[in-house]
Amino acid sequence: AGSINISSALSGIAFYGANSNNIAIRDLTLNGEAVQPVGGLQRNIQLENCRRVSISGISSFQCQNQPITLDSCQYVSVYDCNLRNYWGAGITVRNGCSQVNISNCTTREAGILGDLVSTVGRGILIWGSSKVNVVNCSCWSSTEYNFRVYSQSDDTKDCKQITISNLNLSDAGSIDLFIYNESGRISDISISNLFIETTGTGKSAV
């Protein structure tokens, strides 16, 4: 366990891994600064083409872009993470990830860094990936979407076999749960025990 303060001067990635197996990142508190992001590139954790990954017990506050990004990874568990006040998306699963389990994670106030507000703050984002399970997670008060599953017109990878259960959403600035199938490559989406609450500060739509 430990606490790390991340300087606003960092325009890259605090923890980066690529083409690696058997990775465990756990029990860390990552503290950023409430200043304008430098080039919009800063990320706390980014893994590319990695297998057998465990990310747990991460507390992230004021990341200047995305706290956790998975790109083309397989056999991943992300659990017991608390992500708050960051600029982009809290947990991003993209570009051919598969066999990903996300559980007991919370995102809050995506797109808000102190007095700075982004219009594209997002909670959990799944794009072009398959066999992704999300259970017992909460996404609150993102400035754009709390939870998004999507495909774009030029995508080459399917987004399929996505299972979502016991998901709590509240007060997104635009849409709480957004499934966007522009390319026609989304299929087999299962959603159960979805709870959406509005306190009057968001649009709270599906």
Side-chain angles (χ1 to χ4, degrees):
S3 180
I4 298 174
N5 294 321
I6 300 175
S7 170
S8 61
L10 175 68
S11 60
I13 302 165
F15 293 91
Y16 175 74
N19 307 311
S20 301
N21 298 331
N22 302 314
I23 297 172
I25 304 172
R26 61 178 182 266
D27 300 331
L28 285 174
T29 298
L30 305 172
N31 296 311
E33 298 179 84
V35 297
Q36 185 70 38
V38 180
L41 296 175
Q42 187 188 90
R43 294 180 171 92
N44 283 347
I45 298 169
Q46 180 163 329
L47 300 178
E48 299 176 1
N49 195 32
C50 295
R51 294 166 60 91
R52 295 186 292 278
V53 174
S54 176
I55 300 172
S56 64
I58 304 300
S59 294
S60 172
F61 181 59
Q62 295 184 161
C63 176
Q64 292 184 9
N65 197 307
Q66 299 183 165
I68 298 174
T69 300
L70 304 172
D71 191 317
S72 304
C73 295
Q74 296 181 330
Y75 305 105
V76 180
S77 293
V78 180
Y79 58 97
D80 298 339
C81 295
N82 184 10
L83 315 175
R84 181 170 182 174
N85 295 102
Y86 50 87
W87 201 244
I91 300 174
T92 300
V93 181
R94 70 185 191 189
N95 194 29
C97 286
S98 67
Q99 304 285 356
V100 177
N101 293 296
I102 302 170
S103 62
N104 300 316
C105 292
T106 299
T107 71
R108 185 190 295 268
E109 296 180 338
I112 300 173
L113 281 177
D115 294 331
L116 301 171
V117 178
S118 163
T119 59
V120 291
R122 300 165 183 177
I124 296 175
L125 185 153
I126 301 170
W127 173 26
S129 297
S130 63
K131 297 182 180 179
V132 180
N133 298 312
V134 181
V135 61
N136 295 331
C137 291
S138 298
C139 303
W140 298 327
S141 303
S142 302
T143 58
E144 188 178 29
Y145 311 127
N146 276 328
F147 197 104
R148 186 184 188 194
V149 180
Y150 74 109
S151 68
Q152 296 183 161
S153 59
D154 57 351
D155 283 355
T156 59
K157 299 182 184 299
D158 292 336
C159 193
K160 63 183 181 180
Q161 294 176 276
I162 312 298
T163 302
I164 303 162
S165 61
N166 300 335
L167 178 65
N168 295 293
L169 306 175
S170 178
D171 291 328
S174 180
I175 300 173
D176 276 292
L177 175 60
F178 187 25
I179 298 176
Y180 179 60
N181 192 16
E182 184 179 74
S183 72
R185 302 186 73 98
I186 288 181
S187 63
D188 300 323
I189 308 293
S190 173
I191 302 172
S192 62
N193 296 330
L194 171 65
F195 180 75
I196 298 179
E197 178 184 24
T198 177
T199 63
T201 59
K203 296 182 180 179
S204 291
V206 176

